[in-house]
Amino acid sequence: MGWNRKVLRVNLTAGTCTPEPLNMAWANDYLGSRGLASKYLVSEIDPKVDPLSPDNKMIMATGPLTGTMASTGGRYTVVTKGALTNAIACSNSGGFFGAEMKFAGWDMIIFEGRSPKPVYLYVENDKAELRDAAHLWGKTCWQTEETIKASHQDPLIRVSSIGGAGENQVLFACIVNDLHRAAGRSGVGAVMGSKNLKAVAIRGTKGVSGIKDFPAFLAAANAGKKVLADNAVTGQGLPKYGTQVLMNVINEMGALPTRNHRDVQFEEAGKISAEAMHEKRPTDGKPHLVTNAACFGCTIACGRISKIDETHFSVKNSPQYWGASGGLEYEAAWALGAANGVGDLEALQYANLLCNEHGMDPISFGATVGAAMELYDLGILSREQIGVDAKFGSAEALCQLVEMTAKGEGFGKELGLGSARLCAKYGRPELSMSVKGQEFPAYDSRGIQGMGLAYATSNRGACHLRGYTVASEVLGIPVKTDPLVTDGKPELVKAFQDATGVFDSAGICIFTSFAWTLADVQPQLQAACEGDWSMDKLNAVGERIWNMERQFNLAAGLSAKDDDLPPRLKTEPAKSGPAKGLVNGLDKMKPEYYKVRGWTPDGVPEKATLERLGL
Amino acid sequence: MQKSLHIDPAKCTGCLQCEMACSYEHTGTINPSKSRIKVFDFEHEGRKVPYTCTQCADAWCMNACPVDAIVVDAATGAKVVREATCVGCKVCTIACPFGTVNYMADVGKVQKCDLCGGDPECAKACPTAAITYVDADWTGLDRMRAWAAKANTAAVAA
């Protein structure tokens, strides 16, 4: 129970859709969504496979709490070998698509092979079929949703699709659902594009009936909701300010990476902050922010819905962007803004809209622009090569480059490779602010030491959502630790990484963990799912998932040397703020972390560790 | 005292907890497609609007029903479909100006909001109080209070 016990296997090469029973032994060991889909992936593909070849597979998966009253229970994940990272990828998205998959009666959909021509998958409850997508190829994510709903004459269909970025194999292309929610990172959209799969459209009217003990589940879900409502972050901060509540906080801490991590504080952070989104604009007297919004089942509602300034240079002749739409969230505002030194809020929203529309990860895109701007600043790239005057702080350059990248035009093609390949191509690989090929998110690890270790050891490349020690080091959740020291961070990082695996695999949003610990999730899982879901078991599930992902990456050819940070963060001290003079102490933390994990000094899980976890 | 569902779209975040609660109460499954309250997302304006039966005093659906399958619940004032009597002719779905009576193909009957017998699950499930269950004579009370507060501010300022 909790699961539908049904998997849809779609062979794109043969054009077949086949139902099969969910492997319940695996569900018992890996829970669902991220963990369970990863187990399927590592069992079915060669770790050394080219991510963009037909031999890679891509899995869309829900968790046992997806499609239920558990707060935030609308998440789904896309699991594959990442195009950007050549490592295991799991990108998580909210919106309404995941719940719809569950309501149609499926736990996950496995895509394999490559379709000879563009297709989309249409699922209506038990019925699943591949349909011709010739008329959709070349369309944006927004147009694709609209066209599919119109052609099926069903406005209640939920759609997940790729835009031009995924079609053109931009290596940080994402998969967009419900207009502005995305499985964002690691290039899962490029994998989908390589399979000639344009979209997945689902209508589910069967609902979720498989809850083990409904009254107990409702009581547990309600108790969880109360904890979220009573918490200052999830009950007040996130609904009012969104994740953008962090912009000024992180800037004051001296941990806001600025101009490709040259600086750790951005002098214009206030202009792109949550507070700025609430202020009335001088041009039209309206605030940028229209309202907050929730994903399926979410009682936090951190989502931002904004209206861009119609008189802004980026959109004054483009009324199609004047309506209310998603953004800005903290990560996008940082990557499109501080990372490039751009302090023009409306320009950031324009770039964000294009990322949503064409299906690109704004973090990797923005950070890649930051790297290109540094190459330009150093005279390594010329104006002729880039096609625009790409100086740090140029909103005009940002707005031009986002369109060029999404459409694969000119220098945009090179930006679409991501910063690691771009910087390597021009002989300065050390200027790519990335780990395992994936760009950093919005926290500088010189000012928040634990994040350096979390980034370096993340199984999907640099990422804040694999071990968000910011919660502890900045916000004091669940306990306050000193962000400027390395002591205790290996244990902290491991604890966050393992717990996150359970949140992700349950089908709920990691933002609940601002208020919830696993002890708040456990009663909900116990009531929803058959079997024993004690705290001990959940802790083991989290650690098992982490080690399984690690094993895959090692087999794929990654090693301890890939658990590293760019030299800038280890040798160039922070120039200002509370962390002034500090570099990241990764080299001190990493050996200790391997020990805490039960891994050899080379970062390989010990036999005893694997046996303990049943791997 | 008769009570009424009171909906304030400005407070709705679109989380669909109301749709889940409604469907669970009436079908025993979590199934928004069977919900008798629907949240509409006007995405280009950034507005979400929950909508359900207003329980008309002189109900169009009830007057239109040829077999008297729609009756008044004396305790709540809700217009309730007697499923055993309903023949699935769908005339009520045409009569209702608001579209809040709907035909369910799988059971061959119509369904509409019945106020859950006086304890509406949607209102209880709403995390932002966008849906409340209040004195039917005073559904405007909150708005009156807001305007009164404005008037009071002006008076204090003067």
Side-chain angles (χ1 to χ4, degrees):
Chain A
M1 301 287 204
W3 306 270
N4 282 323
R5 297 168 171 255
K6 231 170 91 185
V7 175
L8 177 63
R9 188 175 291 273
V10 178
N11 187 315
L12 292 158
T13 309
T16 55
C17 301
T18 317
E20 64 183 47
L22 184 72
N23 185 323
M24 289 309 295
W26 287 355
N28 192 47
D29 284 343
Y30 295 93
L31 191 52
S33 202
R34 173 178 161 192
L36 188 52
S38 296
K39 176 63 180 169
Y40 270 86
L41 186 83
V42 305
S43 306
E44 295 190 12
I45 70 166
D46 175 357
K48 292 205 156 47
V49 73
D50 173 355
L52 297 177
S53 84
D55 294 333
N56 192 9
K57 298 192 184 188
M58 184 187 91
I59 305 176
M60 290 180 165
T62 65
L65 297 184
T66 307
T68 74
M69 286 89 150
S71 186
T72 78
R75 311 294 301 190
Y76 91 103
T77 52
V78 179
V79 174
T80 186
K81 185 173 177 185
L84 186 67
T85 54
N86 277 307
I88 194 162
C90 170
S91 295
N92 191 309
S93 182
F96 300 84
F97 177 82
E100 200 72 17
M101 188 192 301
K102 201 76 177 280
F103 296 146
W106 306 95
D107 292 309
M108 61 170 80
I109 306 174
I110 302 174
F111 295 95
E112 49 194 35
R114 172 187 284 161
S115 171
K117 60 181 177 58
V119 290
Y120 73 101
L121 176 69
Y122 175 65
V123 176
E124 188 190 339
N125 294 332
D126 296 326
K127 189 177 87 184
E129 59 192 36
L130 289 167
R131 294 193 169 204
D132 182 59
H135 64 301
L136 298 173
W137 205 254
K139 280 193 158 51
T140 67
C141 297
W142 298 350
Q143 292 164 337
T144 300
E145 285 195 26
E146 196 183 321
T147 307
I148 289 177
K149 287 175 185 183
S151 65
H152 286 270
Q153 297 189 31
D154 186 352
L156 299 177
I157 290 174
R158 303 290 187 183
V159 179
S160 217
S161 69
I162 54 167
E167 292 178 15
N168 299 326
Q169 323 263 284
V170 168
L171 292 181
F172 45 79
C174 59
I175 302 172
V176 174
N177 59 287
D178 305 294
L179 301 178
H180 33 242
R181 289 286 140 196
R185 303 221 70 194
S186 311
V188 295
V191 173
M192 185 157 158
S194 76
K195 299 194 170 304
N196 268 329
L197 178 64
K198 177 66 180 176
V200 180
I202 304 184
R203 178 77 197 282
T205 60
K206 294 167 70 158
V208 169
S209 53
I211 298 291
K212 183 177 68 181
D213 181 345
F214 250 118
F217 174 69
L218 292 175
N222 285 337
K225 287 173 192 165
K226 184 162 186 333
V227 173
L228 294 175
D230 291 345
N231 180 280
V233 177
T234 51
Q236 295 158 40
L238 284 174
K240 177 155 190 208
Y241 293 113
T243 51
Q244 272 274 64
V245 70
L246 287 162
M247 185 65 74
N248 285 323
V249 175
I250 300 300
N251 191 49
E252 277 163 31
M253 286 192 65
L256 190 71
T258 301
R259 289 174 284 270
N260 207 33
H261 287 65
R262 279 181 171 177
D263 300 296
V264 294
Q265 290 183 309
F266 182 38
E267 62 285 355
E268 295 187 281
K271 287 170 64 182
I272 61 170
S273 66
E275 291 79 355
M277 288 172 71
H278 276 269
E279 275 167 26
K280 287 181 180 162
R281 292 184 284 240
T283 44
D284 60 3
K286 292 175 190 159
H288 187 79
L289 183 74
V290 175
T291 184
N292 67 330
C295 295
F296 181 89
C298 175
T299 57
I300 303 173
C302 75
R304 301 291 95 182
I305 301 293
S306 300
K307 271 191 185 170
I308 200 164
D309 180 352
E310 295 172 13
T311 65
H312 190 259
F313 74 84
S314 58
V315 295
K316 65 181 176 199
N317 298 317
S318 309
Q320 70 267 31
Y321 297 114
W322 293 355
S325 196
L328 285 160
E329 319 291 339
Y330 172 60
E331 288 295 337
W334 163 78
L336 302 166
N340 308 311
V342 178
D344 176 345
L345 185 71
E346 306 298 331
L348 307 192
Q349 175 64 351
Y350 173 74
N352 188 61
L353 290 174
L354 264 72
C355 284
N356 287 344
E357 184 185 22
H358 298 289
M360 290 197 297
D361 168 18
I363 302 181
S364 280
F365 165 73
T368 301
V369 170
M373 285 180 168
E374 180 156 14
L375 291 169
Y376 181 68
D377 187 64
L378 296 170
I380 296 163
L381 282 173
S382 68
R383 182 176 179 153
E384 288 65 41
Q385 281 171 295
I386 300 178
V388 297
D389 181 16
K391 57 179 183 294
F392 277 123
S394 171
E396 291 79 6
L398 174 73
C399 292
Q400 281 179 270
L401 292 172
V402 69
E403 190 167 356
M404 288 161 64
T405 308
K407 296 182 175 170
E409 297 167 356
F411 188 72
K413 262 200 160 41
E414 300 196 35
L415 288 174
L417 298 171
S419 68
R421 290 164 179 86
L422 179 77
C423 292
K425 179 173 175 185
Y426 291 100
R428 298 296 295 272
E430 76 282 6
L431 294 181
S432 166
M433 294 298 122
S434 61
V435 176
K436 299 182 179 77
Q438 177 158 291
E439 290 72 15
F440 290 113
Y443 308 91
D444 196 296
S445 59
R446 288 166 292 196
I448 308 173
Q449 291 285 323
M451 286 310 290
L453 181 62
Y455 291 150
T457 59
S458 158
N459 285 328
R460 70 164 184 175
C463 173
H464 56 300
L465 299 172
R466 283 298 173 275
Y468 190 70
T469 62
V470 174
S472 168
E473 294 179 276
V474 179
L475 303 168
I477 301 164
V479 286
K480 183 79 175 82
T481 53
D482 184 347
L484 301 179
V485 306
T486 56
D487 300 342
K489 297 300 160 65
E491 293 81 1
L492 189 72
V493 167
K494 176 184 181 291
F496 270 90
Q497 288 173 337
D498 292 350
T500 300
V502 179
F503 279 84
D504 288 347
S505 301
I508 56 174
C509 177
I510 191 63
F511 287 179
T512 55
S513 70
F514 285 117
W516 289 355
T517 65
L518 273 188
D520 295 288
V521 183
Q522 186 272 334
Q524 302 184 59
L525 285 171
Q526 183 66 59
C529 306
E530 68 189 25
D532 156 51
W533 294 96
S534 64
M535 285 298 290
D536 283 349
K537 177 163 172 180
L538 291 178
N539 285 322
V541 166
E543 191 175 3
R544 184 178 300 123
I545 292 168
W546 192 263
N547 280 274
M548 168 181 66
E549 293 172 344
R550 177 74 176 181
Q551 291 281 81
F552 177 88
N553 283 348
L554 293 173
L558 297 174
S559 68
K561 71 171 169 37
D562 298 296
D563 297 339
D564 206 357
L565 297 173
R568 173 165 287 167
L569 300 175
K570 298 199 294 180
T571 58
E572 294 178 26
K575 292 179 194 157
S576 64
K580 188 175 176 182
L582 284 184
V583 295
N584 185 267
L586 177 68
D587 294 338
K588 218 169 110 191
M589 294 184 281
K590 199 165 91 170
E592 185 60 28
Y593 169 84
Y594 285 169
K595 211 182 292 171
V596 172
R597 276 259 169 238
W599 296 354
T600 69
D602 293 328
V604 178
E606 304 263 16
K607 199 161 166 259
T609 304
L610 296 176
E611 276 172 7
R612 177 169 59 79
L613 296 168
L615 285 164
Chain B
M1 173 177 70
Q2 184 148 325
K3 294 179 89 173
S4 171
L5 279 176
H6 181 241
I7 293 173
D8 182 352
K11 290 182 180 165
C12 177
T13 63
C15 73
L16 308 191
Q17 287 282 352
C18 56
E19 294 193 11
M20 283 192 272
C22 177
S23 60
Y24 177 64
E25 169 69 15
H26 294 100
T27 70
T29 61
I30 307 167
N31 192 351
S33 75
K34 304 285 184 225
S35 173
R36 298 162 188 208
I37 186 166
K38 278 265 173 243
V39 179
F40 293 89
D41 186 353
F42 297 90
E43 51 215 18
H44 299 298
E45 289 88 43
R47 273 198 299 274
K48 323 258 187 192
V49 182
Y51 204 78
T52 189
C53 174
T54 62
Q55 313 294 351
C56 302
D58 191 4
W60 307 69
C61 60
M62 202 163 71
N63 288 324
C65 180
V67 294
D68 292 333
I70 301 178
V71 297
V72 182
D73 178 333
T76 63
K79 313 302 173 292
V80 178
V81 178
R82 288 192 299 190
E83 282 204 6
T85 312
C86 175
V87 295
C89 73
K90 314 177 194 71
V91 170
C92 57
T93 70
I94 300 165
C96 174
F98 308 108
T100 54
V101 192
N102 284 282
Y103 177 69
M104 294 292 116
D106 54 350
V107 287
K109 312 277 180 186
V110 296
Q111 68 170 23
K112 65 179 289 301
C113 171
D114 59 4
L115 295 175
C116 296
D119 191 16
E121 294 296 327
C122 55
K124 286 193 284 183
C126 180
T128 61
I131 306 167
T132 49
Y133 193 52
V134 301
D135 183 346
D137 292 351
W138 288 99
T139 54
L141 194 64
D142 278 352
R143 212 174 293 174
M144 283 171 79
R145 184 184 289 115
W147 282 102
K150 268 192 190 177
N152 183 43
T153 312
V156 171

